[in-house]
Structures are given as C-alpha cells and as structure tokens.
Amino acid sequence: MYKLKTKQTDNSVIEFIESVDNPKKREDAYQLLDIFTETTGYKAKMWGPSIIGFGAYHYKYESGHEGDAPLVGFSPRKAKISLYFATGDIERENLLKDFGKHTTGKACVYINKVADINPDVLQALINQSIKFLNETYPNH
C-alpha cells in the first residue's frame, strides 16, 4: 500500500523559513507567506519537512489511493521556489500566461524569485486552486 510521505506536522513555519540558507530566498519565503496567508485566510502549517501549506483537503482516487494534502502551498527549495496549486483545472493554464517568469512540472509551478512574478496573478492562482479543490472534493 502506498504510504503518504507528506503529512501535516506541528513544526514551526517560521523556524523552517529561518533555516533557509539563501537570504534572498528567505525574504521571498516571508513575502509568499504573507501573500498566501492573506489570500487564503488559513494559518500556514508545515507539511513534511519542507512544504508550507494552507488549508487541507481529503482526496480519494478511483484506484483507492487516498490522503490529505494542503489546498495550496509553497517550498523555498535550493534551486527554485516550488508553488503548489491544484492540477487538472484548465483555468490554471490561462492564469499562468500572465504570471511572469516560471516553469511548470506535473503538480508544481517553479519560480526563481517573487520579483519575477505578478502578485495579482499569484492571488488569482491561489483562489482558483482553492475553488477548484472545494468543488472537486466537496466533503473535505
């Protein structure tokens, strides 16, 4: 059975951000913390050792795999900053067109620094992601 690695923990978000080596990345993490907190209305929580998540939902796939995940989140990683939004919604692709300098993976959007992106589009991506997940998983 698949074991979910990323679970919500009681670790301190501030201590985690303070442990980020790069001062610019640390500054960006605090900026993102403010934007995500203000936009979602949720208190930031650590998910696993390095993801700062906001809100939570329970998912269950047809395969039977299920678990909990943050509605949205981010992680100031060494190479780039990972932003976590809902996947599977075409609206995300439309919003990303005006987002600024970024790359995408299967589930993540990667940025080098907050200065590269449009903060209004970031807020729209956060709101769109939460709306999509609340509609997709209504009983979380």
Side-chain angles (χ1 to χ4, degrees):
M1 179 100 182
Y2 177 82
K3 180 102 169 75
L4 191 66
K5 291 186 217 57
T6 310
K7 288 185 165 41
Q8 189 173 307
T9 71
D10 291 326
N11 295 348
S12 165
V13 170
I14 301 301
E15 280 179 25
F16 170 68
I17 293 174
E18 284 300 316
S19 75
V20 173
D21 289 339
N22 182 322
K24 283 300 271 173
K25 200 155 275 178
R26 197 166 44 243
E27 193 178 301
D28 279 350
Y30 279 118
Q31 223 177 328
L32 289 169
L33 180 63
D34 287 346
I35 293 168
F36 274 80
T37 301
E38 196 176 294
T39 306
T40 65
Y42 292 109
K43 188 177 186 313
K45 299 274 187 191
M46 289 303 300
W47 285 75
S50 61
I51 295 173
I52 299 168
F54 300 82
Y57 71 101
H58 185 80
Y59 60 86
K60 185 169 188 170
Y61 299 136
E62 285 179 17
S63 66
H65 173 75
E66 64 181 299
D68 297 300
L71 289 166
V72 290
F74 70 92
S75 182
R77 306 219 183 254
K78 277 200 188 338
K80 291 181 184 277
I81 298 169
S82 302
L83 305 175
Y84 300 94
F85 303 115
T87 58
D89 187 357
I90 53 166
E91 186 57 30
R92 174 178 130 157
E93 298 311 311
N94 293 334
L95 289 168
L96 286 173
K97 288 176 188 158
D98 299 317
F99 190 46
K101 191 174 167 191
H102 72 280
T103 56
T104 55
K106 186 174 180 188
C108 298
V109 174
Y110 303 102
I111 62 170
N112 290 318
K113 55 187 183 289
V114 174
D116 287 344
I117 60 166
N118 179 332
D120 294 337
V121 176
L122 174 58
Q123 288 181 304
L125 282 161
I126 292 167
N127 288 326
Q128 170 270 328
S129 194
I130 291 171
K131 179 178 179 279
F132 176 74
L133 289 169
N134 284 335
E135 288 168 359
T136 307
Y137 304 97
N139 300 319
H140 62 82

